[in-house]
Every structure is written in C-alpha cells, then in structure tokens.
Amino acid sequence: MYHKNGNALGAEVTKDNPAKPLEELKGVLTINNDPTSGSDWKQVGVRYKTDGTDTSQGVSYVADDLMINNKLVSKNKVSTGLFKTPSIDLNGNTLTPHDATENDFFGTIGKNTFSTGVNMGDVTKNSTSKIQFTLTAFDPTPTDGTTNLGRNYEISLDGKMARESTEKAVYVTSLPKLVLDKKWTDPTKEKPIALDKNQPIALTGSWSQSSATGKIDSHALGTLHYAIDDGAEKTIAQNNVGPKLVSGIPTVGLSLNDTHKLTLYMTNAGYNEKSAVVTVYFKLKGGTLLLGKVKNEIGFEPVTVGKNTINKRDNTDWAPTVADTRGTGSRWDLYASSTGLTRTTDHKQLDGGLVYVDGQKSTDVTEIPQRIASKTTTSDDDITPIKWDDNQGILLKVNAGAYAGDYTGTIDWTLGNTPAP
C-alpha cells in the first residue's frame, strides 16, 4: 500500500509513515509465478476481504479505476469488458463469470467473507500479474492511545493450480484535536485576555484524539506544546483521564501591561501527529501602587532664631518609599501638604514653615498639595525611596521674627496614580 504522488505511487505506507484519515492510497497487488512453481497457474481468481466487523475502520475502497497489468478493468465501477470474475470459488466450485468491476473485487457478501473477485486468467510460469487499486484510509484499529495499526485486509489467490492467502496491515494515524473554551479564543491582539501577574495560565478546554469517523480514543495520551512570544517551545504532558487540559503555563518574568502571544498545539503518543496551531493573546494585569516606610516622627536640625534660615532635615532616611508593581511604564506622583507648625506651649504659629526646594526654586508647603516627586517606572517591581540632596526637597524655613520653642505639625503624603503619557 502506497501514498499517492499525484497519480503515481508515492512512498510505502508503514508504521513510521502512516496514512492520514481520509487519505487516498494506491494499492498494488503483485502475483508472481516464479520458475520454481513448476507449472502455469490456471484460471487464477483474486479475492479480497476486510478483517473485522466494522468496515468503516482501517481502509475502505473508493470509486476509482481498477487496473490489471496496466489494462483497465473498469472505470468508475463500470466494466470495460476486458476481464471476467472467476469461474470457480474458493472451494473450487463452478461460478458464472461476469464482467469484472471494482465492486466485484472490493464488495463483500457478508461478515468476513471474500469478494466475488477478479479473474486474472492464466498466470504462466516465470511471469507476474498486478492489480492496482485505490483505498481511502479511515480510523486506526485498535485505538488504544499508542497504536497506529489500521484495519488488516486479506487477499486470497485461488485457481486450479494455485491457492494462497496473505494478510496486509495498513497503518492509519489518528489526528489530535485541541479545542479551547470561548474565553480563550475570543481575545484578540488588540483586546487580549487579562490575567493575574505571576499566576500560571490555567487553560480551559479539551483535547481529543479524533478520527475520520469522529470516534474518540478515551485512552489517548498526548503532549501540549506551547511557546510565548515566539520563544523556546516547551511541553506539558497530558493525562488520558477525561478530556480536560492539564495546563499550568508559567508567566513569571513576563512583562506587565504588554500583549503576549501564546501558541499551542497537541501531539499524540504513538501517532506522532500534530493538531492545528491555536494562538491566544493575553496581558498580565499590574500589581499595586503603595506608599511605604512612612515615619511617625520626622524632624529638622536645631534652629538659631533671630535671622532668616533654611534648615536641613535631621537625617537622610526621612521621606517615604513608593512601591509600584503595576508594570514597566506606570507613572505616579507624590504630593505633600501641611497645615503649618505651632509651638507646643502656646500653639503660636511659627514665623516660617515647610518649603519644597527644587533646584533654585522654593515653594511653600501649605494645605494645597505640592508635588514633590514623580516617576515613570522602568521595571515591573519598582521600589523608589524618596531622597534629596541636603539642600533640596522638603526643608524648614525660619524667619528672623520667629520665637524660640518646640514646634510641631503634620505632613500629609498623597500618592497619585497618574496615567502614563
């Protein structure tokens, strides 16, 4: 049995090179009467039967031209009148010959019975006769998840001086099928499905080892192949219990807020076949924007009253830290506001107050929030401590008319989630 190469014979159908479901195959039956037989074979009839009870599995004949020794027996199942069916049956009983067609050779009378056959005539000693025919591959049998053995067929050679039977196995593969739920197939590159950051992708759907007649092999074993963003291909073994996908595709290390492409296909054990490739688009949702390390008490260096001064902070670890895990390219703004500083003994307002110094510019920090820091992140897990040089950032301005004493107040920090430009 051979694959077709146009109208000619292609490679032989073998276990390593099986037929695909619904593939048309070329068959060649060769009858050799070699010199050692001792005589001519008379009135040789060739008969065929399909092994088993389900003739839809394995291989089945389709209407085509039947050739014997390059002579047309029939065209589209209509006899050319060149050949007759055998004049004897398998037991040597006399039969009434009639015009030979494909139906005579490939038709069966009943369960596991031979066809009427095609009469090859006499096959003389040291000669060869051939029958060429076309079969269509259907389902592999048995389907056990690992075997690609198709339906056997048996050929019987029967004549007055020749009798022989031979059985041939036609290997037919089985194609895996991957079907994802609608929630996965609906997203597009422009509108990808949103997934949680660093969480494995739990695909929902099913896979099956299907056949030409739609039968499903419940014992099928397979492998899910996947690649993200055209990267290296990786695999996940699939079980053979139920149709659900065994999936847990890691996303650790993938960038946030970007569209990622996931390509998938199935292969099945024993058949080495590949399903159609499925493409899924997804985006990892960003994390959070948080203000951390906010100290309960912060202060400034001691002040000398009687003159205008700008006073430094009392330590370097003074301002809060911004933690942004929303993904690269996220933007935030940090604001500060204050109601002023009052003396603890009599609540007298300080002549001066908090100022924000940015370069040569100084701005009072009042009840109106003043932006003191901003950033567009360059990583998916961005931690930014707010730090300034000694003479920059939030400082304490004390005017010459200020009274000595201990002054206290409150700074309110406000973190804004700002859309990226």
Side-chain angles (χ1 to χ4, degrees):
M1 192 63 61
Y2 300 86
H3 298 279
K4 289 178 64 176
N5 183 11
N7 291 322
L9 295 182
E12 186 177 1
V13 176
T14 64
K15 189 171 185 178
D16 294 329
N17 187 15
K20 287 182 168 52
L22 300 181
E23 179 184 355
E24 286 193 3
L25 307 173
K26 283 288 186 180
V28 178
L29 178 62
T30 302
I31 303 171
N32 294 310
N33 186 356
D34 58 44
T36 61
S37 70
S39 63
D40 297 342
W41 293 345
K42 301 295 184 179
Q43 299 184 45
V44 176
V46 180
R47 298 175 173 84
Y48 161 97
K49 76 173 180 179
T50 301
D51 186 25
T53 58
D54 185 356
T55 57
S56 69
Q57 288 191 318
V59 290
S60 179
Y61 187 74
V62 292
D64 207 331
D65 301 342
L66 184 62
M67 306 286 291
I68 296 180
N69 289 333
N70 295 319
K71 293 182 180 180
L72 193 64
V73 176
S74 59
K75 185 174 181 63
N76 294 326
K77 297 188 178 183
V78 177
S79 173
T80 61
L82 294 178
F83 288 86
K84 300 287 185 179
T85 60
S87 57
I88 56 173
D89 64 15
L90 285 175
N91 297 314
N93 299 316
T94 301
L95 297 174
T96 302
H98 58 276
D99 289 342
T101 67
E102 291 100 323
N103 284 338
D104 299 318
F105 182 52
F106 293 100
T108 56
I109 301 172
K111 177 181 177 181
N112 293 335
T113 58
F114 282 97
S115 64
T116 304
V118 174
N119 190 355
M120 301 292 291
D122 295 342
V123 181
T124 60
K125 185 173 64 173
N126 198 23
S127 67
T128 299
S129 289
K130 291 184 179 180
I131 294 181
Q132 295 186 24
F133 49 89
T134 302
L135 294 177
T136 295
F138 280 90
D139 297 348
T141 305
T143 53
D144 59 4
T146 58
T147 303
N148 58 355
L149 174 61
R151 178 69 71 193
N152 291 334
Y153 65 88
E154 186 176 348
I155 300 294
S156 175
L157 177 68
D158 186 78
K160 286 186 176 181
M161 301 180 69
R163 174 166 288 191
E164 183 181 347
S165 292
T166 183
E167 191 171 276
K168 176 70 174 177
V170 178
Y171 290 95
V172 184
T173 192
S174 181
L175 300 178
K177 187 177 183 181
L178 174 62
V179 179
L180 298 183
D181 289 345
K182 187 176 174 58
K183 65 174 286 187
W184 292 103
T185 55
D186 276 356
T188 62
K189 186 175 182 179
E190 292 72 25
K191 294 182 179 180
I193 188 171
L195 304 176
D196 291 333
K197 172 190 174 186
N198 290 340
Q199 294 301 306
I201 301 175
L203 291 170
T204 54
S206 63
W207 82 277
S208 60
Q209 187 167 291
S210 57
S211 62
T213 55
K215 294 185 178 181
I216 302 299
D217 184 356
S218 61
H219 302 289
L221 294 167
T223 302
L224 178 67
H225 300 249
Y226 72 90
I228 298 177
D229 297 333
D230 298 320
E233 183 177 289
K234 299 181 181 179
T235 59
I236 300 175
Q238 301 298 300
N239 61 24
N240 62 343
V241 180
K244 290 185 178 180
L245 288 173
V246 179
S247 64
I249 298 174
T251 61
V252 175
L254 295 180
S255 61
L256 304 179
N257 302 321
D258 292 326
T259 297
H260 297 283
K261 181 176 72 171
L262 172 65
T263 53
L264 308 149
Y265 67 89
M266 286 292 306
T267 57
N268 49 9
Y271 297 90
N272 299 319
E273 289 291 349
K274 175 181 175 179
S275 74
V277 177
V278 177
T279 301
V280 171
Y281 293 98
F282 68 94
K283 179 182 288 187
L284 298 179
K285 293 186 295 185
T288 56
L289 177 63
L290 297 174
L291 196 62
K293 293 186 178 181
V294 179
K295 290 191 172 185
N296 291 329
E297 293 185 4
I298 52 179
F300 298 88
E301 293 180 348
V303 177
T304 300
V305 296
K307 60 181 180 178
N308 296 329
T309 60
I310 299 294
N311 297 275
K312 299 177 181 178
R313 297 172 294 275
D314 60 1
N315 64 69
T316 57
D317 186 18
W318 196 86
T321 294
V322 177
D324 191 350
T325 60
R326 296 172 300 161
T328 301
S330 301
R331 179 180 169 84
W332 53 261
D333 292 295
L334 180 63
Y335 298 85
S337 62
S338 174
T339 56
L341 303 177
T342 59
R343 193 161 58 178
T344 56
T345 55
D346 56 6
H347 301 295
K348 184 175 181 64
Q349 190 83 17
L350 174 68
D351 187 1
L354 301 180
V355 293
Y356 175 64
V357 179
D358 184 12
Q360 300 299 316
K361 180 182 178 181
S362 177
T363 306
D364 292 339
V365 179
T366 64
E367 294 181 355
I368 300 174
Q370 169 69 36
R371 185 169 65 182
I372 61 168
S374 62
K375 186 177 183 180
T376 299
T377 61
T378 56
S379 68
D380 290 339
D381 295 283
D382 190 273
I383 307 299
T384 305
I386 305 301
K387 293 183 177 180
W388 301 288
D389 292 339
D390 287 348
N391 62 346
Q392 298 290 303
I394 295 180
L395 301 173
L396 176 62
K397 180 178 71 173
V398 178
N399 296 326
Y403 292 93
D406 293 329
Y407 289 81
T408 62
T410 301
I411 295 178
D412 290 326
W413 307 102
T414 302
L415 186 60
N417 177 359
T418 309

